[in-house]
Amino acid sequence: MARPRSFDPDDVLEIARQVFWQKGFQATSLDEITAASGIAKPSLYAAFGDKHALFLRVLDRYHDGILGWAERVLAQPGPAREAIRQWLTGFIPYCSGEKGQRGCLSINSATDGSLDQAALRKSIERYNRRLEELLRTRLRADRAQFKKGFDPDITAHTVMVVHAGLMALAHQTPDSKQVKAVIEQVMGLLA
Amino acid sequence: MARPRSFDPDDVLEIARQVFWQKGFQATSLDEITAASGIAKPSLYAAFGDKHALFLRVLDRYHDGILGWAERVLAQPGPAREAIRQWLTGFIPYCSGEKGQRGCLSINSATDGSLDQAALRKSIERYNRRLEELLRTRLRADRAQFKKGFDPDITAHTVMVVHAGLMALAHQTPDSKQVKAVIEQVMGLLA
DNA sequence: GCAATTCTATACTTATAAGTACAGAATAAC
DNA sequence: GTTATTCTGTACTTATAAGTATAGAATTGC
């Protein structure tokens, strides 16, 4: 019943994501986020809690974005093979060239030994579990499209590994053609 | 001509590696390294320079260890396929279970946005380049052992991607059987 | 044994960054 | 318009950690 918040929390999360993604959790100071967003620290603390809580919100948002997209792409009609190819190739802009340098926020966080917070680990685990579930479900459903002996569960995990590898190596700014070639070769396992 | 150093620098690098590997560069304070090693800060600074320089030494050592092992394994006589399978399976203890939690020091460092130091990037790039070179050289040499149309260069890179993915996902402590299954499936690309 | 030199330990300085107190500004309800 | 309430901005406190000054200990060469 009094003065309303002067900013949209979602806008701030978006800005915080950019800063955290670029520099990592530890190396990002709240002062940098206040500078980038124009929101003073007390307002940030009031809206989101401490730095860890803010980062968790950012990471969850990031996860939700990718999961939403994955759901759409993997629910596509047509051959499972094509859906998964499209899913993998969709990451190319994010794991090659200039833009790929920052890698994947989730993997960057998972490989950061200092982020040993239970809440963060859970968020990341849940994300990976759900992604793999989406892949597995689709591969199981379309199992008939593959050769005899095809194992949808292992294949789903292998696709996850390839995805993680591409995002981890993204920091070396590989060429998008090279990434594409790897994806095409891996598609050979989906036969 | 005067008092000699009372510690073996190599021992300290070994201890520093453990600490850095567990907690990451940023989150590790020099006080933790002095506590773990028993060496006081001024001695560390005299021997290695500042924290970044110490970490670079640790990382280079780590890289050299893995490269040396990779050279031995990949130079093995017999089919290239087996040499590479052995190389990949050799990582299983380091990317599954309890011990796998810390992941790979090199990848952890590469995905740490705060370590934007040119020297570190170079060390990591050189490491990846040399590893891939070892794989590529072996695959090219034994090219005749594979199906027509086999591309050793792309395959070498794909193996690097799989390796990076396994080490990145190691933080979720996967089961070693699952890792093994992925490797076996990927071996299907080496035919 | 003595001197020169280099290492080591304590204790300090300094910088950075997380989190907060407090005063003042803005808004909704009446 | 007034008042109660909540937000915002400045400035502060506090903690942590990197890097260093300085004094004292240890070792080699003579």
Side-chain angles (χ1 to χ4, degrees), chain B residues 17 23 35-36 46 58 66 71 75 81 87 93 98-99 114 121 134 148 151 153 155 181:
Chain B
R17 175 170 74 171
K23 310 198 51 176
V58 166
I66 299 184
E71 270 172 41
R81 209 183 131 74
W87 182 70
E98 195 75 13
K99 196 175 171 192
S114 70
R121 290 191 83 83
L134 289 173
K148 215 179 122 182
D151 186 328
D153 296 9
T155 305

Side-chain angles (χ1 to χ4, degrees), chain A residues 25-41:
Chain A
F25 173 77
Q26 286 269 341
T28 299
S29 71
L30 280 185
D31 288 335
E32 288 174 272
I33 292 180
T34 63
S37 65
I39 310 300
K41 262 192 283 186

